[in-house]
């Protein structure tokens, strides 16, 4: 396979996708694939996985196969590619035969750069695929191959044949599932153990995290929503019944909210989902099934009405917010009642114990006294050097004390027990307990036995949970919940690193002040105008709104207020295809906005400025999207106010005389239209205006 110089992938990034820079790891992944190597890309939702195979597909000769589990996802991606002027299609067994035939025809004649297919349908295409050049194979949502993973999909296991069937073709597996066991499993199953791994940070710094006790949640929600205008958001609930009742309550308060759950008909669900995606319904109140296959980038907030069942779920659900990289809010409520209900759900399931352990960890996260983001990321094995400053704990921190000594004792005990024990035994040993579990293993002989007997069992447990939330310890759920040390623990033990612990005397009556959010929801109305145009275009073209432009692109337009095609091409997300298709419509709205919102003076001054810059009246009219006669009015106004403009260049003395004569004949007519008719439409409105205004040149 040919090595591509990075300048050419940069230019593909700009011309096809409209972006100037790669996101973290994208360039490295793309280069790896272009070199013909297999790759595993682990990136959070919204991290930009698709580009990692779409761009190489364009850079290389031939067609890329993309294996994807959900039809909705395939359709969205294909729509987005087509909007960027890239030929792609998806194939599945539910399509009408004539559509399938057409796609296959395009495929074998090499017209498609990418073909999306579900794993179940892949092997039906073998005959066709053998006729063409396959440049790469992308396995999207690759965790579906692992029975460890949360979305196991049997047909994915058949993908182990890929490497044999297409030995020279690079395979790129992509997922947002972080845990190491699943990662290893993916590579093993796909038989690409040598694949290069790229693990991106799972941090989503634009999401503000806030966790509150569950009392009075509906009122908290009203308050939360009151400043959010028409922003899109999702409220997750545990039961169908509560989705309905919350949606009803919100509607009674005047919010446009729709309940969504598995009990609705397929048609309703499709409809509600589409209304949400296309910004017609701003609020969805849903059971967690909602959002699975949704690729909506401008979800501005996510509320958990109930505590999720594990941290993976929480992370995934809040991750549906802010995929465009703009600010988003995640608000979660938790209560003991939620915990009890979730426990019930696990009862009698084969993995009950495992699930309960994860549930407990979720509860610990909810009650965290340490930076939420640190806690969340440490759960995924990632260390955040500083507290994030963008969560409720950071905004409203508890009192801390120097917890280094306690941490050293705990870490040392864990180390001396060979990282083999779960939290309960660790506490017992530290407190010098005499029970069987301790004595049988001879733990009374280790140095830290009884080292923390001055701390109560409960408090010690709370401190250890803080160590978990700070990423100093981790729980290995797959291995009986044993505690293991992270690299930070080693720094505490051997390198003199100090840490803080939060005081446990937490005032539970302290009402959490509603946070004043920085992001003003009342947008300047240009954004709204752009949004309206986007919706209109989306409806006409039958695609989701974000396929036209993401919110991030609209925001960039709002900030830069482009006036020309060249300026428009600088907007993030504007590649050649979108420039050709949409620039004109969006420029018009922007120009009109500038004209109507600027005060009269400024708009005149702006025209004058452009005029002084040497632009012709026609140029200015085109650039500002207003009629030439209006531009003349601006110039006349500026002239009247004393600006040095030679207006005589636009009209001859002869013409001025004619206009003045007409005024006499028409006996002071009101309106220019009478002049226009008087001259039998042979004198432009602009000239009539000028003729009335200007003196006859001597
Ligand atoms: P994922 O599949 O990882 O959830 P996507 O591939 O859908 O994420 O990308 C999320 C968003 O980020 C999309 O709107 C995409 O166009 C945008 N994006 C991807 N790469 C870049 C980039 N290099 N610069 C700016 N935006 C990007
Ligand atoms: Zn924080």
């Amino acid at each position: 396979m040919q090595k591509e110089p990075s300048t050419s992938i940069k230019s593909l990034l700009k011309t096809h996708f409209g972006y100037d820079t790669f996101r973290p790891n994208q360039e490295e992944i793309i280069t790896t694939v272009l070199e013909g190597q297999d790759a595993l890309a682990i990136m959070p939702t919204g991290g930009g996985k698709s580009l990692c195979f779409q761009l190489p597909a364009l850079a290389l000769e031939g067609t890329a196969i993309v294996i994807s589990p959900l039809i909705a996802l395939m359709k969205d991606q294909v729509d987005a590619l087509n909007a960027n002027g890239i030929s792609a299609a998806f194939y599945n067994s539910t399509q009408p035969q004539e559509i399938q035939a057409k796609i296959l025809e395009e495929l074998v004649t090499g017209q498609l750069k990418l073909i999306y297919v579900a794993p179940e349908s892949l092997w039906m295409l073998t005959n066709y695929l053998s006729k063409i050049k396959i440049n790469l194979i992308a396995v999207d949502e690759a965790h579906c191959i692992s029975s460890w993973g949360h979305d196991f999909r049997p047909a994915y296991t058949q993908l182990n044949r890929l490497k044999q069937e297409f030995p020279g073709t690079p395979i790129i597996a992509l997922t947002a599932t972080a845990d190491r066991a699943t990662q290893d499993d993916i590579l093993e199953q796909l038989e690409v153990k040598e694949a290069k791994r790229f693990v991106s940070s799972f941090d989503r710094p634009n999401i503000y995290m806030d966790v509150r006790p569950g009392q009075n949640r509906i009122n908290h929600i009203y308050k939360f929503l009151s400043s959010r205008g028409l922003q899109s958001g999702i409220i997750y609930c545990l039961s169908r019944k509560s989705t309905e009742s919350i949606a009803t309550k919100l509607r009674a308060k005047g919010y446009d909210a729709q309940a969504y759950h598995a009990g609705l008909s397929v048609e309703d669900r499709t409809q509600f989902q589409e209304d949400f995606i296309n910004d017609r319904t701003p609020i969805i109140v849903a059971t967690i099934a909602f959002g699975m296959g949704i690729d909506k980038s401008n979800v501005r907030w996510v509320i958990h009405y109930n505590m999720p069942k594990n941290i993976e779920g929480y992370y995934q659900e809040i991750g549906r917010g802010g995929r465009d990289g703009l600010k988003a809010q995640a608000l979660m409520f938790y209560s003991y009642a939620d915990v009890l209900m979730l426990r019930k759900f696990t009862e009698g399931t084969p993995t009950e114990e495992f699930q309960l352990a994860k549930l407990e960890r979720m509860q610990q996260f909810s009650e965290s006294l340490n930076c939420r983001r640190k806690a969340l990321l440490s759960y995924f094995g990632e260390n955040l050097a500083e507290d994030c400053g963008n969560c409720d704990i950071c905004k409203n921190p508890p009192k801390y004390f120097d917890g280094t000594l306690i941490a050293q004792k705990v870490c040392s005990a864990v180390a001396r027990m060979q990282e083999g024990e779960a939290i309960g035994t660790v506490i017992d040993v530290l407190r010098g307990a005499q029970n069987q579990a301790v004595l049988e293993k001879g733990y009374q002989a280790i140095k830290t036995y009884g080292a923390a007997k001055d701390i109560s069992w409960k408090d010690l447990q709370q401190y250890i949970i803080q160590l978990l939330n700070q990423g100093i310890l981790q729980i290995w759920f797959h291995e009986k919940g044993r505690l293991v040390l992270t690299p930070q623990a080693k720094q505490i033990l051997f390198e003199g690193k100090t840490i803080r612990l939060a005081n446990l005397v937490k005032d539970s009556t302290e009402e959490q002040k509603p946070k004043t959010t920085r992001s003003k929801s009342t947008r300047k109305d240009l954004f709204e105008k752009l949004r309206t145009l986007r919706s209109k275009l989306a409806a006409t073209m039958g695609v989701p709104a974000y396929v036209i432009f993401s919110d991030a692109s609209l925001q960039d337009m709002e900030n830069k207020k482009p006036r020309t095609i060249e300026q428009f091409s600088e907007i993030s997300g504007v590649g050649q295809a979108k420039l050709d298709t949409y620039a004109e419509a969006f420029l018009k709205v922007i120009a009109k906005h500038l004209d109507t919102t600027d005060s009269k003076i400024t708009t005149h001054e702006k025209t004058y400025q452009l005029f002084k810059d040497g632009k012709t009246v026609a140029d200015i009219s085109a650039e500002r999207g207003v009629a030439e006669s209006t531009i003349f009015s601006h110039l006349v106004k500026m002239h009247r106010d004393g600006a040095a403009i030679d207006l005589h260049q636009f009209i001859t003395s002869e013409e001025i005389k004619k206009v003045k004569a007409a005024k006499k004949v028409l006996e002071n007519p009101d309106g220019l239209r009478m002049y226009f008719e008087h001259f039998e439409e042979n004198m432009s409105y602009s000239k009539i205006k000028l003729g009335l205004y200007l003196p006859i040149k001597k």
Side-chain angles (χ1 to χ4, degrees):
M1 206 123 328
Q2 207 175 319
K3 191 171 171 173
E4 297 287 321
S6 68
T7 45
S8 85
I9 63 175
K10 269 264 165 68
S11 73
L12 288 173
L13 181 69
K14 183 68 195 162
T15 45
H16 288 283
F17 301 95
Y19 301 131
D20 295 316
T21 50
F22 285 106
R23 294 246 181 97
N25 280 348
Q26 281 180 332
E27 190 167 11
E28 294 81 351
I29 295 168
I30 290 167
T31 311
T32 302
V33 175
L34 289 178
E35 284 168 353
Q37 292 185 64
D38 302 321
L40 171 65
I42 315 277
M43 255 188 213
T45 306
K49 282 185 285 300
S50 336
L51 208 88
C52 298
F53 56 83
Q54 291 172 347
L55 201 143
L58 293 173
L60 298 167
E61 205 188 309
T63 305
I65 308 174
V66 184
I67 293 148
S68 170
L70 286 165
I71 295 177
L73 276 183
M74 294 191 230
K75 189 179 173 314
D76 288 347
Q77 287 212 5
V78 166
D79 281 345
L81 284 165
N82 292 340
N84 278 327
I86 300 163
S87 75
F90 63 94
Y91 179 91
N92 71 63
S93 52
T94 64
Q95 285 166 318
Q97 227 163 11
E98 59 278 14
I99 303 273
Q100 288 181 340
K102 180 171 160 280
I103 293 165
L104 292 174
E105 170 69 21
E106 287 173 353
L107 179 67
V108 292
T109 52
Q111 293 176 59
L112 297 177
K113 282 313 291 179
L114 299 103
I115 175 93
Y116 283 71
V117 58
E120 289 82 359
S121 309
L122 174 67
W123 307 108
M124 299 186 218
L125 296 183
T126 316
N127 278 338
Y128 302 92
L129 295 175
S130 63
K131 293 199 180 92
I132 58 169
K133 178 165 175 51
I134 304 297
N135 56 24
L136 72 95
I137 301 166
V139 181
D140 206 0
E141 311 290 344
H143 57 276
C144 295
I145 203 171
S146 172
S147 45
W148 282 122
H150 46 91
D151 297 325
F152 177 58
R153 176 102 166 210
Y156 260 71
T157 54
Q158 301 254 328
L159 300 180
N160 63 353
R161 282 164 52 198
L162 281 173
K163 202 67 210 176
Q164 294 152 31
E165 303 263 345
F166 303 93
T169 310
I171 293 181
I172 170 173
L174 309 103
T175 176
T177 298
D179 82 82
R180 186 78 197 193
T182 311
Q183 286 174 28
D184 293 345
D185 205 21
I186 291 171
L187 297 188
E188 198 153 316
Q189 302 266 347
L190 285 175
E191 299 183 9
V192 289
K193 283 200 202 149
E194 301 304 309
K196 239 173 143 172
R197 283 187 209 216
F198 298 89
V199 182
S200 300
S201 169
F202 270 64
D203 193 9
R204 303 282 309 278
N206 58 321
I207 301 177
Y208 178 77
M209 290 193 276
D210 190 353
V211 179
R212 300 183 198 174
Q215 290 95 22
N216 219 350
R217 26 195 133 180
I218 193 74
N219 286 330
H220 280 291
I221 292 177
Y222 293 149
K223 201 150 187 192
F224 177 89
L225 294 181
S226 65
S227 61
R228 290 200 158 61
L230 285 175
Q231 292 180 359
S232 292
I234 308 172
I235 301 178
Y236 283 113
C237 309
L238 278 180
S239 72
R240 289 180 192 182
K241 225 173 90 194
S242 48
T243 63
E244 298 279 3
S245 75
I246 294 164
T248 307
K249 283 182 193 160
L250 290 178
R251 279 198 295 265
K253 287 268 176 184
Y255 293 107
D256 194 355
Q258 177 59 58
Y260 182 102
H261 54 73
L264 299 168
S265 69
V266 176
E267 298 83 67
D268 279 352
R269 270 187 286 160
T270 313
Q271 182 66 51
F272 298 156
Q273 182 164 318
E274 274 178 11
D275 286 347
F276 180 67
I277 288 175
N278 294 309
D279 294 340
R280 288 190 291 267
T281 308
I283 302 174
I284 284 282
V285 190
T287 49
I288 51 165
F290 182 77
M292 285 276 292
I294 292 191
D295 199 1
K296 181 174 169 68
S297 65
N298 66 340
V299 176
R300 292 270 71 84
W301 54 265
V302 173
I303 293 178
H304 282 93
Y305 192 80
N306 306 99
M307 189 182 87
K309 65 174 192 278
N310 53 41
I311 295 185
E312 284 89 344
Y314 172 73
Y315 177 81
Q316 192 173 45
E317 284 141 26
I318 66 168
R320 290 181 184 134
R323 294 180 64 162
D324 49 18
L326 305 180
K327 281 193 168 137
Q329 312 276 319
L331 172 59
M332 183 195 114
F333 296 100
Y334 81 98
S335 70
Y336 196 62
D338 295 341
V339 176
L340 293 180
M341 183 150 48
L342 287 164
R343 275 196 197 148
K344 244 205 194 117
F345 290 164
T346 66
E347 258 168 39
T349 60
T351 52
E352 182 174 344
E353 203 179 326
F354 181 70
Q355 290 185 54
L356 284 176
K358 290 204 161 189
L359 174 59
E360 198 175 322
R361 191 73 193 85
M362 182 67 218
Q363 198 182 343
Q364 293 162 355
F365 169 83
S366 307
E367 292 166 355
S368 178
L369 297 169
N370 303 100
C371 171
R372 302 272 178 210
R373 199 171 311 274
K374 226 176 190 173
L376 186 68
L377 291 174
S378 73
Y379 181 82
F380 294 115
E382 205 178 309
N383 175 39
L384 196 66
E386 300 286 327
D387 285 358
C388 76
N390 195 28
C391 74
D392 57 335
I393 303 288
C394 285
K395 286 263 137 78
N396 201 359
K399 295 226 170 10
Y400 295 104
F401 66 95
D402 182 352
T404 311
L405 191 62
I406 295 177
Q408 282 169 344
K409 287 177 182 173
V410 173
C411 294
S412 156
V414 170
R416 283 165 201 277
M417 287 183 273
Q418 319 297 333
E419 304 183 314
E421 297 295 341
I423 187 165
T425 309
V426 173
I427 298 173
D428 283 348
V429 168
L430 280 161
R431 298 197 66 254
Q434 306 256 347
N435 59 31
Q436 208 184 348
V438 173
L439 299 178
E440 246 172 28
K441 295 198 176 154
Y443 287 147
Q444 72 276 25
I446 69 175
K447 209 176 148 200
T448 35
Y449 179 74
K453 56 174 171 296
D454 53 325
I455 305 174
S456 77
W457 207 94
K458 266 238 144 83
D459 285 0
L460 193 52
Q461 183 192 30
Q462 289 304 314
Y463 292 138
I464 295 180
I465 290 169
Q466 291 194 40
L467 297 178
L468 285 165
N469 279 334
Q470 292 193 43
I472 291 157
L473 297 172
Q474 257 195 326
I475 297 183
W476 283 28
F477 293 102
H478 289 287
E479 296 173 15
K480 302 205 170 119
R482 66 188 178 100
L483 290 183
V484 301
L485 304 172
T486 69
Q488 281 83 260
K490 296 182 183 141
Q491 289 174 6
I492 290 173
L493 284 174
F494 309 117
E495 293 163 27
K497 184 184 159 91
T498 61
I499 69 134
R500 314 177 305 179
L501 289 170
N503 281 333
L504 294 177
V505 275
K506 203 192 167 198
D507 187 2
S508 57
T509 57
E510 176 196 338
E511 179 51 28
Q512 306 222 3
K513 280 177 240 109
K515 313 290 175 302
T516 41
T517 42
R518 308 135 312 278
S519 64
K520 259 264 181 273
S521 66
T522 45
R523 279 208 165 268
K524 281 161 252 134
D525 54 356
L526 175 56
F527 187 87
E528 282 313 319
K529 289 176 188 169
L530 296 170
R531 214 165 96 118
T532 308
L533 172 63
R534 181 178 67 177
S535 301
K536 261 193 220 149
L537 291 170
T540 339
M541 312 191 64
V543 294
Y546 63 81
V547 164
I548 312 256
F549 282 124
S550 67
D551 275 18
S553 295
L554 297 192
Q555 188 172 56
D556 207 26
M557 290 178 209
E558 184 185 37
N559 293 341
K560 295 190 181 142
K561 299 191 178 58
R563 292 159 179 283
T564 62
I565 294 277
E566 293 78 58
Q567 289 168 350
F568 198 80
S569 73
E570 297 294 308
I571 298 294
S572 169
V574 177
Q576 192 57 47
K578 289 191 179 173
L579 189 68
D580 295 344
T581 321
Y582 303 123
E584 201 180 329
F586 281 86
L587 281 171
K588 233 185 196 153
V589 167
I590 295 165
K592 197 160 165 205
H593 172 84
L594 291 174
D595 262 21
T596 50
T597 53
D598 293 347
S599 71
K600 276 260 157 59
I601 295 298
T602 11
T603 186
H604 297 143
E605 279 173 353
K606 250 177 212 157
T607 294
Y608 178 53
Q609 202 63 46
L610 293 168
F611 184 71
K612 274 204 304 193
D613 289 348
K615 302 222 157 123
T616 67
V617 169
D619 285 346
I620 302 171
S621 153
E623 189 170 323
R624 305 204 58 193
V626 290
E628 287 192 20
S629 63
T630 310
I631 299 297
F632 275 111
S633 311
H634 293 169
L635 294 177
V636 166
K637 167 97 173 80
M638 291 306 293
H639 186 268
R640 187 178 280 142
D641 292 348
I645 308 172
D646 175 20
L647 292 174
H648 283 280
Q649 64 180 297
F650 301 114
I651 183 167
T652 63
S653 305
E654 210 51 45
E655 287 166 329
I656 298 176
K657 275 183 204 156
K658 276 189 191 163
V659 174
K660 300 241 188 264
K663 188 174 176 185
K664 274 197 189 129
V665 178
L666 295 169
E667 296 173 340
N668 290 324
D670 54 343
L672 301 180
R673 173 136 208 109
M674 291 181 69
Y675 289 95
F676 194 59
E677 280 161 9
H678 171 85
F679 290 117
E680 296 176 330
E681 305 186 0
N682 283 322
M683 181 81 75
S684 72
Y685 279 104
S686 306
K687 286 194 173 173
I688 297 167
K689 255 185 226 168
L690 286 170
L692 288 169
Y693 172 67
L694 288 174
I696 299 165
K697 222 177 179 176
K698 309 266 144 54

